[in-house]
């Protein structure tokens, strides 16, 4: 690879690392081209899976300010650059690795924090961002309904209390 090609490759990887909110490093030895194509499709629209050279990726990671990937950059290496929901990409990698044991998740980085292979698998066990937001919205709606019922109950309770006081006063004035 010519020097200008290497400089361009480092610049491209650096840009991908900066633009991504997560990156997952994998070993792909033993996977066919067709399996790699299938893996790329399983990651979703917000992730890009790319075979990389270790030395160029180390340089790019240093330029991007990420030093936690160095320990994972050995052997045959590919990186999933995730720009969207990292849970979706982690699920795609985990599920593909179950069907194809040749894919090994080495580790990664999420918002600048190092992730081990086990942490990436735990991330894959989470529900997607959309599901979590829907649950949160449902919880807020439930709380709003409860608050509305409380606020609605206050005036009716006040009316019942005033009616009871009037009835009691009427009784007392009628008894005198």
């Amino acid at each position: 690879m010519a020097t200008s090609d290497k400089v361009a490759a480092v610049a491209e990887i650096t840009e991908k690392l900066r633009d991504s909110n997560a990156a997952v490093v994998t070993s792909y030895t033993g996977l066919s081209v067709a399996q790699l194509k299938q893996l790329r499709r399983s990651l979703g629209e917000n992730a890009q899976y790319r075979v990389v050279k270790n030395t160029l990726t180390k340089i790019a990671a240093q330029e991007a300010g990420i030093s936690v990937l160095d320990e994972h950059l050995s052997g045959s290496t590919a990186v999933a650059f995730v720009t969207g929901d990292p849970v979706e990409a982690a699920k795609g990698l985990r599920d593909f690795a179950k069907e194809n044991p040749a894919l090994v998740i080495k580790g990664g980085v999420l918002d600048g924090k190092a992730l081990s292979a086990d942490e990436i698998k735990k991330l894959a066990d989470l529900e997607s961002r959309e599901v979590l937001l829907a649950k949160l919205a449902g919880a807020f709606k439930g709380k709003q309904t409860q608050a509305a019922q409380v606020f609605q109950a206050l005036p009716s309770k006040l009316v019942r209390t005033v009616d009871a006081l009037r009835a009691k006063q009427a009784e007392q004035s009628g008894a005198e």
Side-chain angles (χ1 to χ4, degrees), residues 17-107:
L17 286 170
R18 285 184 179 148
D19 292 344
S20 302
N21 57 353
V24 180
V25 180
T26 64
S27 174
Y28 65 92
T29 304
L31 293 176
S32 68
V33 173
Q35 288 172 320
L36 287 174
K37 196 179 221 182
Q38 180 186 1
L39 172 59
R40 286 184 174 102
R41 274 189 254 123
S42 71
L43 291 178
E45 297 176 8
N46 298 322
Q48 185 180 31
Y49 190 74
R50 181 163 172 207
V51 174
V52 295
K53 290 191 173 278
N54 293 326
T55 53
L56 299 180
T57 305
K58 284 180 186 179
I59 295 168
Q62 288 173 351
E63 287 182 11
I66 302 170
S67 61
V68 296
L69 291 179
D70 288 353
E71 66 186 79
H72 304 299
L73 297 173
S74 61
S76 62
T77 303
V79 179
F81 299 100
V82 183
T83 54
D85 185 11
V87 173
E88 181 182 351
K91 283 182 187 203
L93 286 167
R94 178 201 59 196
D95 295 344
F96 188 85
K98 281 182 184 176
E99 296 173 16
N100 302 282
L103 179 74
V104 177
I105 299 171
K106 295 180 181 180

Side-chain angles (χ1 to χ4, degrees), residues 102-115:
L103 179 74
V104 177
I105 299 171
K106 295 180 181 180
V109 62
L110 174 63
D111 294 328
K113 180 187 174 281
L115 293 176

Side-chain angles (χ1 to χ4, degrees), residues 121-153:
K121 290 174 185 170
K122 286 179 185 175
L123 182 66
D125 291 336
L126 292 175
E127 292 175 331
S128 72
R129 182 176 188 270
E130 289 77 21
V131 171
L132 292 174
L133 287 174
K135 286 184 175 183
L136 182 63
F140 281 143
K141 184 178 178 186
K143 293 298 179 189
Q144 288 175 342
T145 303
Q146 288 175 346
Q149 290 171 349
V150 167
F151 291 137
Q152 214 171 24

